[in-house]
Amino acid sequence: MNLQLIEVYIPDQHFDSIDEKLKKYDHRSYWVSSESEERMLVRILVQKNEVEEILNYLEEVSNVVEGFETLLIPVQTYISKETIHEETKEEEEKEENEEEKSRLLRASRHELMNAAEKNSDITMNYSLLILLSAIVATVGIIKDSEAVVIGAMVIAPMIGPVISVAFFAILGDYKGLGQSAVSSLYGVAIVLLISIAFGYFTDVGMENAQYLDRTKVTLIDIPLGVASGAAGALAFLNRLSGNLVGVMVAVALLPPSVAMGMSIGDGSMAAAYGAFLLVTVNIMSILLAAVSIFSLSGIRPVRWEEVQRANVSRPLSIVFVIIIVLILAIVILEGQNII
């Protein structure tokens, strides 16, 4: 069911004007009650694709009205006389929604913003999962066990911060961008420290396929990173479970990071450079796909100063990532020609 409930707490002195405006938006049901002596409570049941427009208006109002609060609540079930007879109108609705379905479906900007902020936080849970996945991946590479490496990628929470970097870049939110970048680098740093320690104290596993495959980079690795980033961005837009898509992103980030750390610990700088190049190519390819998907989805801020910042940040982020990917592609080709 694509319905959501918006609860709005409105001070009495502003109720009439705001109530009149809210009633103009498309809605399934509209309830008004007295929340207290000073505030009224309005509940609006709307289709999910109508939520963002209403929240944008409420966000503008909340900047100038004291005591104004808004809640967004997902609706699991809604039954009314109209819903019972909805199936008879299904064919008509399909025709009307053809244009809507041609666009990228996504959650509201406000929901995505909250998710991105959560993904960019460095928490104990995030740190422990990165630590455990790094240990498992390193042992898997040393044992030349593909199954163990895949298991490590399942538990590695590397998708959140990377996708959040692209999301904040599109919005021009430099504070969120910086925090997400720090979270991503923090995760990679933990992986490197663990794998460097393994590489320093043991030289086992430095000649097997799992290790050697992650110390070489080719142009075919760019489509892998782009596909991973696109899948991660689409999953994020629709608030889908990130577990399976997270594996795709971890494929591109975790094993080559482990190989780079093992190479540094062992003193194999040539192999470390190859793994570093692979990690960089994958990260930039993921970001290129993600910023492109987010730009096409129509995510835009509302406030004037944020709109101006986003109008500059959006094309710059796309151009910057494209330039980096092209430079890396040239470096890869030159390296192959030398070999």
Side-chain angles (χ1 to χ4, degrees):
M1 177 171 289
N2 292 320
L3 293 176
Q4 291 185 305
L5 179 66
I6 301 175
E7 288 192 353
V8 190
Y9 295 85
I10 308 172
D12 286 343
Q13 62 269 31
H14 300 284
F15 174 74
D16 292 337
S17 60
I18 296 175
D19 176 62
E20 181 181 358
K21 176 68 175 179
L22 289 175
K23 286 180 177 177
K24 294 180 180 179
Y25 291 103
D26 292 335
H27 57 268
R28 293 292 296 269
S29 290
Y30 194 97
W31 305 276
V32 178
S33 60
S34 179
E35 191 267 338
S36 68
E37 293 182 358
E38 300 177 349
R39 295 198 305 180
M40 299 292 290
L41 171 60
V42 175
R43 292 186 176 94
I44 316 170
L45 187 65
V46 298
Q47 292 286 345
K48 191 173 183 179
N49 58 351
E50 304 290 342
V51 167
E52 184 168 354
E53 184 180 2
I54 299 175
L55 291 181
N56 285 340
Y57 165 68
L58 295 175
E59 183 179 351
E60 292 177 353
V61 174
S62 65
N63 290 328
V64 295
V65 177
E66 293 292 337
F68 188 93
E69 296 178 313
T70 302
L71 286 81
L72 179 64
I73 304 170
V75 176
Q76 301 299 326
T77 304
Y78 171 67
I79 300 175
S80 68
K81 181 179 178 180
E82 289 77 13
T83 61
I84 297 174
H85 300 287
E86 270 185 350
E87 293 183 1
T88 60
K89 302 177 182 179
E90 189 174 335
E91 292 301 322
E92 295 178 8
E93 291 178 356
K94 283 184 178 179
E95 294 178 3
E96 294 175 358
N97 291 334
E98 280 183 1
E99 183 178 351
E100 184 68 28
K101 290 180 179 179
S102 66
R103 301 200 302 264
L104 284 176
L105 299 178
R106 62 176 175 84
S108 68
R109 175 178 58 87
H110 309 78
E111 294 174 89
L112 297 176
M113 179 69 76
N114 289 335
E117 290 174 352
K118 183 179 179 181
N119 288 339
S120 61
D121 288 339
I122 298 176
T123 63
M124 180 63 69
N125 186 59
Y126 174 74
S127 301
L128 288 176
L129 285 176
I130 288 288
L131 177 66
L132 294 172
S133 63
I135 294 173
V136 173
T138 306
V139 172
I141 289 178
I142 290 174
K143 291 171 62 69
D144 197 20
S145 174
E146 185 175 357
V148 175
V149 175
I150 292 174
M153 293 184 294
V154 171
I155 63 175
M158 305 189 79
I159 180 175
V162 177
I163 295 299
S164 294
V165 168
F167 180 79
F168 286 123
I170 287 298
L171 289 178
D173 187 340
Y174 302 124
K175 180 180 179 181
L177 174 61
Q179 187 173 349
S180 300
V182 169
S183 297
S184 297
L185 294 174
Y186 172 79
V188 173
I190 292 178
V191 175
L192 286 176
L193 289 174
I194 295 297
S195 53
I196 286 173
F198 273 91
Y200 181 79
F201 291 107
T202 177
D203 58 357
V204 179
M206 305 295 289
E207 299 297 332
N208 61 47
Q210 289 294 322
Y211 167 78
L212 293 175
D213 287 346
R214 272 71 183 221
T215 59
K216 302 172 184 176
V217 59
T218 62
L219 289 179
I220 200 65
D221 291 301
I222 295 178
L224 171 62
V226 170
S228 300
L234 289 172
F236 177 79
L237 285 176
N238 291 279
R239 307 299 299 122
L240 301 177
S241 172
N243 290 342
L244 293 178
V245 179
V247 173
M248 277 191 72
V249 176
V251 166
L253 298 181
L254 182 60
S257 297
V258 170
M260 180 168 63
M262 291 177 63
S263 302
I264 294 173
D266 188 59
S268 304
M269 290 300 111
Y273 172 74
F276 167 76
L277 199 58
L278 179 56
V279 172
T280 307
V281 166
N282 287 338
I283 290 177
M284 289 300 145
S285 299
I286 290 171
L287 291 177
L288 174 60
V291 295
S292 300
I293 293 292
F294 289 149
S295 183
L296 291 173
S297 70
I299 296 174
R300 303 290 187 272
V302 175
R303 300 175 187 174
W304 184 85
E305 65 275 10
E306 293 177 352
V307 171
Q308 300 304 309
R309 196 162 58 238
N311 288 340
V312 175
S313 176
R314 186 167 52 253
L316 280 180
S317 60
I318 295 175
V319 170
F320 174 77
V321 176
I322 289 176
I323 291 174
I324 297 298
V325 171
L326 290 176
I327 292 174
L328 291 170
I330 293 172
V331 172
I332 294 171
L333 284 174
E334 289 183 350
Q336 292 175 341
N337 291 335
I338 292 174
I339 295 174

